Amino acid sequence: VDILNKQVLLASWARGLPQASDFRFAEQVLSPCKQGHVIIKNHYLSVDPAQKGWMSKAQNYSNAALGEPMKALAVGEVIESSLPEYKAGDFVSGWFGWQQYAHVDADAIDRKINPATGPIQNAIGLLGIVGLTAYIALKDVINPRPGQTILVSTAAGGVGSIVGQLAKRWGCRVIGITGSDEKLGRCLNEFGYNAAFNYKKEGWQEALKAACPEGIDGYFDMAGGWISDGVVELLNARSVHVQVGTAAVASWDPTPQAPRRERLLLVKEITHQGFVIFNHASRFDEASRYLAQCLANKELVFREQVLDGLESAPQALESLYQGKNNGKILIRLT
Amino acid sequence: VDILNKQVLLASWARGLPQASDFRFAEQVLSPCKQGHVIIKNHYLSVDPAQKGWMSKAQNYSNAALGEPMKALAVGEVIESSLPEYKAGDFVSGWFGWQQYAHVDADAIDRKINPATGPIQNAIGLLGIVGLTAYIALKDVINPRPGQTILVSTAAGGVGSIVGQLAKRWGCRVIGITGSDEKLGRCLNEFGYNAAFNYKKEGWQEALKAACPEGIDGYFDMAGGWISDGVVELLNARSVHVQVGTAAVASWDPTPQAPRRERLLLVKEITHQGFVIFNHASRFDEASRYLAQCLANKELVFREQVLDGLESAPQALESLYQGKNNGKILIRLT
């Protein structure tokens, strides 16, 4: 019998923040497994801040396509394979999209997963790009040293919560910026931040400044925009500002205006550097090993918010940009 | 008899570009040499783009003081010394200010100069911060590799002309941005640029783009501002933009607006980094040796424009910002 594959298609490029209405649902009969391909039944789909960029018509490192299943990481089970390295029953993670079944070639598969070592969804959570981004951008770009002050924006999110904990483990003073008092509490009580500030509260910038009497040595920035404009003055000479996301900027089309920053960079010799996790594959092994060890020793708190059913994906992404998530969002399909 | 010391004092903080009227002249009787000090008779004074920053009330790495001789590098002869390491007749370079005589402690002296090895003014020219800035910011921050395309703004100036020649020697394709057709000609005919563009000509950005079919791998930027806004889109993935000056920005008070740049940095993993030569003293030896060797072998063209008399200093600085200079500007006092 034919298998019906339910899909969430990208119906329109994002205008500003992603909205559930940018997507539509479709059903398609799954075609037989082509030569060089495998068919994967997705178990968990990832909902990531980076998807906003992929939905953008503007220049990006990795665009989604209109009318196709929304580009997304996922973890699932191989149900049919024409590739010798994968067989039915294998669990794999990769670029399987927001759909029930993915019919993909080997390039779409990131790696095999051993379900005996832990929940398979870790592959798109702490041991996936979330944890890898936190570890590699913090260690390789900021390179924090004990005693330094590290600032993290979107501090309670999937990546931010790991950055905060890693920086703390590595001997730093860690300051967070987040968007609700509830998240602020989690920063302080769960993730070990030394201080945290709610950017929706009047006077947060002054309070943050007062909490950084020795300035900021490294800024792990997933917000950008007006949130960063308010704190870059605190960056120390020779500090590093790594740009991992730009969640605080609703739209890049047309390019918004900002305070001109080159003089500040110059006089303090600040390094402002972009980071895209997919360019750092050579570092995945070290990072994965470190994070898996922490996970095994229960040394890292990692919050997941699991929503059920493909139908919940579009709204989950919209909510993420409203700051309503509670850690890393996963969509469970089985 | 008393020695009268003619001085150029900073009379008011720069508002926008430096103007001759920001300075006033004064005469002061030179006080006797204090313990721990030396008295230096200046032979050449330096006129540098960086002085605009030093004249600014805004945050800077190194401010001048109102009512004091304008902060400047100079080269001169020790005429009286209470320090064992310097004696009358020694030539030295350092922070001696725009004045005929400097009464300074050891911290103000950069180094002794051997007049037998070449013209003493080289110490504030090719072998001074001009050449050091070119060599160290290019080599250490951009780290150009053969075959790469390097863009230089203020390409025909003291620093820019050396950057262009060094990048060419190191196997790069070098593109310059400059402000007159006469300078453009010098870029092509004297400094070895592969192509150069006059930013005062309509369509220069399109022409520059056409000359960089493979994008730009390193941007040695002394202009910033609108000039850089027009070219940063050409920066390649993982390219380096080193900010060495901001000559194209007339005023930083209030902070001007600019196209917001963090998304471009992010998706291309661009590094945008400030550079202040005085933080790189540990690299001066290597750079000086290399440049002195080039000079001895006549392998570098270095243009100097020598003006006579202390009185010419204020106008020389004003003209520098109008792009009227013809290489490195020196004021000759003897």
Side-chain angles (χ1 to χ4, degrees), chain A residues 19-41:
Chain A
Q19 301 193 304
S21 57
D22 296 332
F23 301 95
R24 63 185 169 85
F25 295 95
E27 273 187 350
Q28 207 184 12
V29 175
L30 200 62
S31 53
C33 189
K34 285 190 286 190
Q35 192 54 37
H37 283 55
V38 302
I39 294 178
I40 293 151
K41 183 179 189 203

Side-chain angles (χ1 to χ4, degrees), chain A residues 144-182:
Chain A
R145 279 150 291 165
Q148 288 189 326
T149 299
I150 304 298
L151 180 67
V152 185
S153 62
T154 74
V159 175
S161 65
I162 301 301
V163 173
Q165 292 174 82
L166 291 176
K168 194 71 184 290
R169 283 174 70 80
W170 297 343
C172 300
R173 219 171 142 260
V174 195
I175 313 291
I177 302 176
T178 189
S180 76
D181 284 347
E182 191 250 327

Side-chain angles (χ1 to χ4, degrees), chain A residues 50 52-54 59-61 221 223-226 228-229 233 238 243-246 249 252 255-277 279-280, chain B residues 50 52-54 59-61 221 223-226 228-229 233 238 243-246 249 252 255-277 279-280:
Chain A
K52 168 168 168 272
W54 306 342
Q59 179 179 55
N60 208 317
Y61 48 89
D221 185 11
W226 72 275
S228 289
D229 295 342
E233 293 280 341
R238 315 199 90 162
Q243 198 75 52
V244 181
T246 57
V249 182
W252 291 93
T255 304
Q257 295 286 298
R260 190 173 280 288
R261 205 173 277 180
E262 53 261 49
R263 187 95 207 139
L264 186 68
L265 282 189
L266 192 166
V267 299
K268 292 188 172 180
E269 288 199 333
I270 293 166
T271 298
H272 187 189
Q273 190 170 338
F275 184 87
V276 176
I277 185 63
N279 296 330
H280 299 266
Chain B
K52 169 168 166 271
W54 307 341
Q59 180 179 55
N60 207 317
Y61 47 90
D221 185 10
W226 73 275
S228 289
D229 295 343
E233 294 279 341
R238 313 200 91 163
Q243 197 77 51
V244 181
T246 59
V249 182
W252 291 94
T255 304
Q257 295 286 297
R260 191 174 278 290
R261 205 173 276 179
E262 53 259 48
R263 187 95 207 139
L264 186 68
L265 283 189
L266 191 165
V267 299
K268 292 189 171 181
E269 288 199 334
I270 293 166
T271 298
H272 187 189
Q273 191 171 336
F275 183 86
V276 176
I277 186 62
N279 297 330
H280 300 267

Side-chain angles (χ1 to χ4, degrees), chain A residues 29 32 39 50 105 108 136 160 173 183 215 224 267 288 294:
Chain A
V29 175
I39 294 178
D105 64 15
I136 297 169
R173 219 171 142 260
K183 288 179 181 177
V267 299
S288 293
C294 289

Side-chain angles (χ1 to χ4, degrees), chain B residues 87-145:
Chain B
K87 59 178 200 304
D90 282 350
F91 283 92
V92 289
S93 67
W95 298 98
F96 309 149
W98 278 358
Q99 53 187 338
Q100 290 179 302
Y101 297 89
H103 186 168
V104 296
D105 64 16
D107 287 346
I109 302 176
D110 278 345
R111 56 192 159 114
K112 264 194 233 192
I113 294 159
N114 180 356
T117 60
I120 58 169
Q121 66 267 37
N122 283 345
I124 52 172
L126 183 61
L127 304 182
I129 53 168
V130 173
L132 296 173
T133 298
Y135 181 97
I136 298 170
L138 180 62
K139 185 146 195 237
D140 292 10
V141 185
I142 293 183
N143 187 24
R145 278 151 291 165

Side-chain angles (χ1 to χ4, degrees), chain A residues 117-119 122 126-127 162 165-166 169 190-191 289-302:
Chain A
T117 60
N122 283 345
L126 182 61
L127 305 182
I162 301 301
Q165 292 174 82
L166 291 176
R169 283 174 70 80
E190 289 184 31
F191 307 135
R289 270 201 309 276
Y290 184 93
L291 294 164
Q293 190 65 48
C294 289
L295 198 63
N297 297 342
K298 301 190 194 312
E299 293 168 329
L300 286 178
V301 175
F302 185 65

